Amino acid sequence: MKNGNKTENRISLLFAGITAGLLAVLFFWHFLDVRDSVTECGDVFLYRGYVILGVYLFAVCFGLYMLGTHSGIRFPVMAAAAVFLTGLAYIFVFRGLSAPDEISHFVSAYRLSNVILQKEAADENGLVFLRACDRFLEDTGNRTEEVLYLRENGNGDAETDLVIFGQTLDENVYRVYEYPELQTWGDRESVLVSHQWTVNTTPAAYLPQALGITAARLLELDPLGLITAGKLFNLIFFTIAAAAALYLMPRGAEPAAGTMLLPMTLHLAGSMSYDVFVMAMSFLFTALILRIRESEGECRREMAAAAVVIALLGPCKMVYSLLILMVLILFPAEKAQRRNYLIFTAAAVLLLALSMYLVNSRTLQDYASADERIITWAEEPEGYTLAYLIHRPVETVRMMYHSFLTMSGNWFSTMFGVYLGNQDPIYNVPYPVIGIFSLGLLVLAAGSSMNFGAFERIVCAGVFFLVLGALMGSMLLAYTPMSSTHIEGVQGRYLLPVLPLLLFCIPGPWITVREGQERSIIWLFTVLNAYVLIRVYATVCLRL
């Protein structure tokens, strides 16, 4: 037996050595890209940033390997450490407001920060008050007055869009971080009004980011420090929620941890996006349901926590309120427990309905009563209304069916991160890496200790596809012009909160994953993220 363990350790060490060696080769390969950029633009500081990133990532990979193979640390702690440490590197690489729709999330969190500091949050039009220096983040060219004049005078040929800092991530963004003293942003005392609209959702989704922004304002940090603090607090929140979810899961922690370590998940976790809140609450609710299912006692605390979590999650993005259907896996239980489960389900549904009424009633009313819908981004802007879809059910189903057939490949790849940044095709996870991530998730799922029967798998798969259907329906109403041949706006990152449910459906264990090997896969995911970050940093340097 001891000889067998020694052989396995040697194989594991050999695998780790080969993987680390390959990562080192790729690091030096992409160093050539950084060198080409420095030769062209003369910004020598790019060398320093690249070396710091590389040294940090190699240290993280080495530390996690030692943590996972030479210590008795629990799996949730190792996975949470991987999430946080790799997430820090994502903050370093994806600077500025470079995540999808991050400017809107930034302004929404800023508004909540104003409330926390007991300052006037917004003007009579709902536009948020900012420190004068923070206007730079939504108008790097200081063109606000010019753009307002052009818009008021209807000059259709003029450029009337403000340049958002980092929305297009390029080498100039890194240069701003290197030389902040050269920027002409305003002072920290006076107040200006933002020209970006906030997101209409529950304030809880922006509490971590708002706390970070508040801390930065109290410390009188500049705009760069302010957005970094907002991202850092969001990452800390996600790490704590991820660790709690993995700790609570009696089974299935391995595929859930794999989902948490996908590049798109970590990219969002290191941003100000409220998708972080959605993922955190979804993972926590799923973990609590699984814990209640496996518990032999009454588990009243878990039930109360699950009811609160789903009530917080539902109003943020209404489609994820369908996770409440996961309670169905509780009911093939002993008769003595069914009464408690029914009470819990009724309380959770009522609390969810109340929270959604308080936050989303106006939105639901607008969708239900709209006689026409305009899609502002489309050349032919006429959109679908709810009444139109209800009276044409066959056409609605045909549109969803065609979209699923033609766009599912795009949803799959964007779920892993084929478009990182602000949906930027230049910053992507290569398809071979996506394949390795996919294989790793399958191994984690098939080798996990889930003891689901056919009914539980049907429930999990049903909830996943119901959420997908709800996403398609909402985007058909909100984002798709009638001239489009498929539903616009559905992105793979929207499926991350429910991806573990689909992984739970994989029958197992048809792969034997020996004790400790799931840690090796988590370590491999960390190495793959390190490669993605090295590659993206080098690409940003080339984008002059």
Side-chain angles (χ1 to χ4, degrees):
M1 186 67 180
K2 290 183 179 180
N3 290 334
N5 288 336
K6 287 182 179 180
T7 301
E8 290 178 10
N9 290 336
R10 288 173 181 170
I11 293 174
S12 175
L13 184 61
L14 178 63
F15 170 74
I18 293 174
T19 305
L22 180 59
L23 181 63
V25 170
L26 292 170
F27 173 80
F28 286 108
W29 176 261
H30 287 290
F31 181 81
L32 300 177
D33 296 331
V34 180
R35 185 193 64 182
D36 291 342
S37 175
V38 173
T39 301
E40 181 70 23
C41 67
D43 286 335
V44 181
F45 68 84
L46 295 174
Y47 284 143
R48 182 175 69 253
Y50 188 71
V51 171
I52 290 173
L53 175 66
V55 170
Y56 174 80
L57 289 172
F58 276 101
V60 168
C61 292
F62 177 76
L64 287 174
Y65 178 79
M66 298 300 294
L67 197 66
T69 59
H70 293 81
S71 71
I73 196 168
R74 300 185 64 176
F75 177 77
V77 178
M78 179 194 174
V83 167
F84 180 71
L85 295 173
T86 314
L88 288 176
Y90 272 90
I91 293 176
F92 179 80
V93 172
F94 288 95
R95 305 185 199 180
L97 300 173
S98 54
D101 306 317
E102 194 166 9
I103 181 62
S104 299
H105 299 303
F106 161 71
V107 173
S108 300
Y110 208 110
R111 176 174 183 145
L112 183 55
S113 173
N114 286 340
V115 174
I116 294 172
L117 291 172
Q118 298 183 346
K119 298 179 181 290
E120 189 175 1
D123 67 5
E124 64 277 5
N125 298 316
L127 296 172
V128 177
F129 289 116
L130 308 173
R131 297 184 307 176
C133 60
D134 298 328
R135 171 73 74 78
F136 167 82
L137 298 171
E138 64 176 40
D139 178 18
T140 60
N142 196 25
R143 295 183 63 238
T144 296
E145 301 304 323
E146 175 191 352
V147 167
L148 289 177
Y149 175 81
L150 293 172
R151 289 175 179 173
E152 290 173 358
N153 288 272
N155 191 338
D157 296 328
E159 177 59 47
T160 58
D161 289 331
L162 299 175
V163 179
I164 297 167
F165 179 62
Q167 189 171 55
T168 300
L169 186 60
D170 55 23
E171 190 267 344
N172 182 62
V173 174
Y174 287 0
R175 188 184 300 118
V176 171
Y177 277 83
E178 182 66 20
Y179 305 112
E181 68 278 1
L182 299 181
Q183 304 309 311
T184 57
W185 49 56
D187 60 75
R188 295 172 174 81
E189 287 75 29
S190 57
V191 175
L192 297 174
V193 68
S194 169
H195 292 287
Q196 300 291 331
W197 294 103
T198 59
V199 179
N200 182 26
T201 189
T202 172
Y206 291 111
L207 183 58
Q209 307 93 304
L211 291 175
I213 290 173
T214 300
R217 294 169 71 179
L218 292 174
L219 294 172
E220 298 187 351
L221 300 183
D222 63 24
L224 306 182
L226 183 136
I227 57 175
T228 302
K231 294 180 179 186
L232 178 61
F233 274 59
N234 215 18
L235 175 62
I236 292 172
F237 164 73
F238 181 74
T239 303
I240 294 172
L246 296 176
Y247 174 79
L248 288 168
M249 284 184 180
R251 307 171 190 272
E254 297 86 359
T259 302
M260 296 169 186
L261 280 165
L262 295 180
M264 180 57 79
T265 307
L266 293 174
H267 173 38
L268 294 171
S271 74
M272 291 200 194
S273 175
Y274 74 165
D275 288 340
V276 175
F277 181 83
V278 171
M279 291 188 295
M281 294 296 103
S282 299
F283 296 152
L284 275 174
F285 182 76
T286 301
L288 287 164
I289 292 296
L290 294 178
R291 191 170 186 85
I292 293 169
R293 177 181 179 272
E294 296 288 324
S295 177
E296 296 180 357
E298 294 185 355
C299 53
R300 293 179 179 176
R301 288 182 300 179
E302 288 84 353
M303 290 181 181
V308 171
V309 167
I310 194 66
L312 290 171
L313 170 62
C316 186
K317 274 192 176 180
M318 289 182 284
V319 295
Y320 299 109
S321 62
L322 292 169
L323 273 169
I324 190 68
L325 296 176
M326 281 293 293
V327 300
L328 292 174
I329 70 171
L330 302 177
F331 285 98
E334 296 180 4
K335 188 175 181 180
Q337 287 282 48
R338 290 179 188 173
R339 181 174 178 274
N340 292 333
Y341 291 162
L342 285 171
I343 294 173
F344 156 65
T345 302
V349 170
L350 286 174
L351 198 58
L352 173 62
L354 177 61
S355 64
M356 291 185 67
Y357 173 77
L358 294 174
V359 178
N360 303 122
S361 57
R362 178 62 182 272
T363 302
L364 292 171
Q365 184 179 359
D366 289 344
Y367 274 107
S369 60
D371 294 326
E372 63 177 0
R373 188 165 298 280
I374 303 300
I375 309 299
T376 55
W377 65 268
E379 294 182 1
E380 298 180 20
E382 184 181 2
Y384 293 92
T385 64
L386 187 60
Y388 182 95
L389 297 178
I390 290 175
H391 288 90
R392 295 167 177 81
V394 175
E395 182 178 337
T396 303
V397 173
R398 183 183 293 115
M399 187 69 160
M400 288 188 168
Y401 173 72
H402 179 72
S403 298
F404 181 79
L405 291 182
T406 58
M407 298 300 296
S408 54
N410 175 270
W411 301 340
F412 176 81
S413 57
T414 54
M415 181 171 61
F416 287 86
V418 76
Y419 299 144
L420 294 172
N422 188 33
Q423 301 178 55
D424 199 325
I426 293 179
Y427 307 127
N428 56 50
V429 180
Y431 284 105
V433 176
I434 290 177
I436 298 173
F437 272 115
S438 303
L439 182 60
L441 287 177
L442 288 175
V443 172
L444 289 173
S448 68
S449 56
M450 298 297 292
N451 62 346
F452 277 179
F455 175 75
E456 288 87 350
R457 291 194 180 100
I458 290 172
V459 170
C460 288
V463 172
F464 177 88
F465 285 106
L466 280 174
V467 169
L468 175 58
L471 285 168
M472 295 168 69
S474 64
M475 287 300 176
L476 183 58
L477 281 172
Y479 204 74
T480 306
M482 286 190 174
S483 58
S484 179
T485 58
H486 61 270
I487 298 174
E488 304 277 359
V490 179
Q491 299 172 33
R493 62 189 171 97
Y494 299 153
L495 297 175
L496 288 171
V498 290
L499 178 59
L501 302 186
L502 193 63
L503 296 174
F504 293 161
C505 298
I506 296 174
W510 52 268
I511 292 179
T512 301
V513 178
R514 298 183 181 180
E515 184 178 357
Q517 289 182 342
E518 73 281 354
R519 297 167 184 257
S520 298
I521 296 175
I522 294 301
W523 179 80
L524 175 61
F525 279 19
T526 305
V527 174
L528 292 174
N529 276 291
Y531 165 65
V532 169
L533 287 165
I534 287 169
R535 184 172 179 269
V536 169
Y537 184 97
T539 306
V540 174
C541 293
L542 288 171
R543 198 176 201 181
L544 304 176

